Short mmCIF file of all heavy atoms in Angstrom, two decimals:
data_model
loop_
_atom_site.label_atom_id
_atom_site.label_comp_id
_atom_site.label_asym_id
_atom_site.label_seq_id
_atom_site.Cartn_x
_atom_site.Cartn_y
_atom_site.Cartn_z
N LEU A 10 123.21 129.49 181.04
CA LEU A 10 123.57 128.91 182.33
C LEU A 10 124.72 129.69 182.97
O LEU A 10 125.73 129.96 182.33
CB LEU A 10 124.00 127.45 182.08
CG LEU A 10 124.16 126.57 183.30
CD1 LEU A 10 122.82 126.37 183.99
CD2 LEU A 10 124.74 125.21 182.88
N CYS A 11 124.53 130.05 184.24
CA CYS A 11 125.58 130.75 184.98
C CYS A 11 125.83 130.03 186.30
O CYS A 11 124.90 129.50 186.90
CB CYS A 11 125.18 132.19 185.31
SG CYS A 11 124.99 133.22 183.85
N LYS A 12 127.09 130.00 186.73
CA LYS A 12 127.43 129.46 188.05
C LYS A 12 128.46 130.39 188.66
O LYS A 12 129.62 130.44 188.19
CB LYS A 12 127.99 128.04 187.91
CG LYS A 12 128.52 127.43 189.19
CD LYS A 12 127.41 127.03 190.15
CE LYS A 12 127.96 126.30 191.36
NZ LYS A 12 126.92 126.02 192.36
N GLU A 13 128.03 131.13 189.69
CA GLU A 13 128.91 132.09 190.36
C GLU A 13 129.81 132.77 189.33
O GLU A 13 129.33 133.22 188.30
CB GLU A 13 129.68 131.38 191.48
CG GLU A 13 128.74 131.07 192.64
CD GLU A 13 129.00 129.74 193.32
OE1 GLU A 13 130.14 129.26 193.27
OE2 GLU A 13 128.05 129.20 193.91
N LEU A 45 126.65 120.61 186.61
CA LEU A 45 125.39 121.36 186.54
C LEU A 45 124.39 120.67 185.62
O LEU A 45 123.24 120.45 185.99
CB LEU A 45 125.64 122.78 186.03
CG LEU A 45 126.42 123.71 186.94
CD1 LEU A 45 126.56 125.07 186.27
CD2 LEU A 45 125.73 123.89 188.28
N GLU A 50 125.00 119.52 190.70
CA GLU A 50 125.14 120.81 191.39
C GLU A 50 124.09 121.76 190.86
O GLU A 50 123.60 121.57 189.75
CB GLU A 50 126.53 121.40 191.12
CG GLU A 50 127.54 120.99 192.15
CD GLU A 50 128.87 121.71 191.97
OE1 GLU A 50 128.86 122.87 191.52
OE2 GLU A 50 129.89 121.09 192.25
N ARG A 51 123.78 122.79 191.63
CA ARG A 51 122.76 123.76 191.24
C ARG A 51 123.39 124.97 190.56
O ARG A 51 124.44 125.45 191.00
CB ARG A 51 121.99 124.23 192.48
CG ARG A 51 121.21 123.13 193.16
CD ARG A 51 120.00 122.75 192.34
NE ARG A 51 119.12 121.88 193.11
CZ ARG A 51 117.91 121.54 192.69
NH1 ARG A 51 117.45 121.96 191.52
NH2 ARG A 51 117.16 120.75 193.41
N ALA A 52 122.72 125.46 189.52
CA ALA A 52 123.18 126.65 188.80
C ALA A 52 122.80 127.90 189.57
O ALA A 52 121.90 127.88 190.40
CB ALA A 52 122.56 126.67 187.42
N SER A 53 123.49 129.02 189.30
CA SER A 53 123.08 130.31 189.87
C SER A 53 121.89 130.84 189.11
O SER A 53 120.97 131.42 189.68
CB SER A 53 124.22 131.33 189.77
OG SER A 53 125.39 130.82 190.32
N SER A 54 121.91 130.68 187.77
CA SER A 54 120.75 131.07 186.95
C SER A 54 120.83 130.33 185.63
O SER A 54 121.85 129.73 185.29
CB SER A 54 120.73 132.58 186.72
OG SER A 54 121.88 132.96 186.00
N GLY A 55 119.74 130.39 184.87
CA GLY A 55 119.69 129.71 183.58
C GLY A 55 118.73 128.55 183.59
O GLY A 55 118.04 128.32 184.60
N GLU A 56 118.70 127.84 182.47
CA GLU A 56 117.70 126.77 182.30
C GLU A 56 118.40 125.50 181.78
O GLU A 56 119.24 125.58 180.89
CB GLU A 56 116.69 127.27 181.27
CG GLU A 56 115.45 126.44 181.16
CD GLU A 56 114.54 126.99 180.07
OE1 GLU A 56 113.92 128.05 180.31
OE2 GLU A 56 114.47 126.37 179.00
N ILE A 57 118.02 124.37 182.36
CA ILE A 57 118.52 123.08 181.89
C ILE A 57 117.33 122.15 181.71
O ILE A 57 116.55 121.96 182.64
CB ILE A 57 119.49 122.42 182.91
CG1 ILE A 57 120.66 123.36 183.23
CG2 ILE A 57 120.01 121.08 182.39
CD1 ILE A 57 121.45 122.94 184.46
N CYS A 65 116.11 122.71 186.86
CA CYS A 65 116.57 123.70 187.84
C CYS A 65 115.53 123.96 188.92
O CYS A 65 115.88 124.30 190.05
CB CYS A 65 116.98 125.00 187.16
SG CYS A 65 118.40 124.77 186.08
#
Side-chain angles (χ1 to χ4, degrees):
L10 192 65
C11 295
K12 174 73 174 174
E13 288 142 26
L45 292 180
E50 269 187 33
R51 296 288 191 171
S53 307
S54 63
E56 192 183 286
I57 303 166
C65 295

